[in-house]
Amino acid sequence: MSYSQDPNPPQPGVPMNPSTQYTTPTHGAYTSSAQGPPPPIPGNRPPPIPGNRPGVPTAPAAPMPVPQHILNNHTADAPFIPIPVHAASGHASAQSTNADNILLTIVYNGLVVPNPRAPPPPYGTFKVQGYNPLVDAETIMNACKGFGTDEAALIKTLTKIVPLKMDALADFYVSKYGQRLVDHIDKKTRSWFGMGLHGLVTGPLAWDVELLHEAMDGVGTDEDLLTELIIDRSSDDLYRLSVEYKYKYGSDLSVKIRDDLSGQTEK
């Protein structure tokens, strides 16, 4: 994987050139083109809170070392670059990395997903090139209006959206309507149907982290669910799960699993 480098990246405190448009190609790195600013989208302003990202931790989490076997699996064209998290914002610090080495997407369980530690895109840009989330956002809002819920419309809209576009839709939704998409879906749906849509909107990595916590929360452990989530996963996937679990719940995943599993299952 290679990443494009903007010859004139925006500098802190310096206004952006209005003739420069930032878009996101398929592989996830931002590039620039002199095609003028993108067309305005209603509600496309910085979201008051992150769409699908975890809440800001009360204290910066201790950095987790990258296992050597994971580093060995990455080449010079696709390096593994841990992104430092700024303690105040919960996002990567612009001072610690520059535009050509930030991994905006990662691969998890065979899917290209947004990097939870990547910074937000520049203001007024499409987060995913060629995808305008306005129509999907309005369809979902209309499906959730009133006392009932148009479940067919939610299924038709949400099941066709891949993780990268879902992340863009979530950020756009909160900027336009002032509430997180996942919270709105949770409020308007119930039972297994609601659980399924929650998983779609949350995204595969964040959803697996929630399921891991649910499997080990409270008295007893759902060993069947826990086994399904961690058995036959690649070392990269397990590392991603460990990092996100520690970030969201403040616990070491491997220690938590070892403490919760029975002796036979642990073996």
Side-chain angles (χ1 to χ4, degrees):
M1 182 181 297
S2 60
Y3 294 89
S4 302
Q5 181 174 3
D6 183 359
N8 299 297
Q11 301 298 322
V14 179
M16 286 180 57
N17 186 339
S19 66
T20 301
Q21 173 185 353
Y22 284 84
T23 56
T24 308
T26 306
H27 59 265
Y30 292 114
T31 60
S32 63
S33 59
Q35 299 176 358
I41 307 175
N44 190 21
R45 55 188 182 275
I49 54 177
N52 264 357
R53 298 183 176 87
V56 178
T58 56
M64 296 186 64
V66 182
Q68 187 61 42
H69 66 273
I70 291 181
L71 295 175
N72 294 339
N73 290 337
H74 292 268
T75 65
D77 291 332
F80 182 89
I81 305 173
I83 300 177
V85 177
H86 195 283
S89 66
H91 296 299
S93 169
Q95 304 301 319
S96 58
T97 55
N98 48 33
D100 64 333
N101 70 353
I102 294 179
L103 296 177
L104 300 175
T105 63
I106 57 177
V107 176
Y108 173 73
N109 202 20
L111 297 172
V112 179
V113 301
N115 185 351
R117 303 283 77 80
Y123 169 70
T125 64
F126 292 103
K127 195 169 188 180
V128 177
Q129 187 179 29
Y131 174 62
N132 185 342
L134 176 61
V135 174
D136 288 336
E138 290 182 341
T139 301
I140 294 169
M141 174 56 72
N142 291 333
C144 295
K145 279 184 177 178
F147 294 102
T149 301
D150 189 342
E151 296 184 351
L154 290 179
I155 294 173
K156 183 178 180 180
T157 302
L158 292 173
T159 55
K160 68 180 182 181
I161 303 177
V162 298
L164 290 180
K165 292 182 179 180
M166 188 69 76
D167 182 65
L169 172 61
D171 282 355
F172 179 83
Y173 200 89
V174 75
S175 71
K176 182 172 176 62
Y177 298 114
Q179 60 180 323
R180 296 199 313 159
L181 175 60
V182 66
D183 292 340
H184 200 189
I185 293 297
D186 287 348
K187 181 179 178 181
K188 301 297 291 188
T189 57
R190 296 288 185 273
S191 190
W192 293 107
F193 175 70
M195 185 178 181
L197 293 189
H198 178 97
L200 283 174
V201 172
T202 302
L205 177 55
W207 180 226
D208 280 356
V209 169
E210 288 187 20
L211 289 176
L212 280 170
H213 180 70
E214 181 178 322
M216 297 180 287
D217 190 34
V219 179
T221 302
D222 188 339
E223 295 189 354
D224 290 337
L225 176 57
L226 193 57
T227 300
E228 182 179 345
L229 289 167
I230 62 177
I231 294 299
D232 293 331
R233 292 296 182 93
S234 69
S235 57
D236 283 26
D237 286 351
L238 292 175
Y239 178 74
R240 303 290 185 192
L241 285 171
S242 298
V243 170
E244 295 309 310
Y245 190 91
K246 185 174 182 64
Y247 186 85
K248 184 168 185 177
Y249 298 108
S251 301
D252 186 290
L253 180 59
S254 60
V255 174
K256 182 71 174 175
I257 291 175
R258 189 161 52 245
D259 291 344
D260 278 63
L261 286 178
S262 64
Q264 186 61 36
T265 305
E266 183 180 355
K267 295 177 182 179

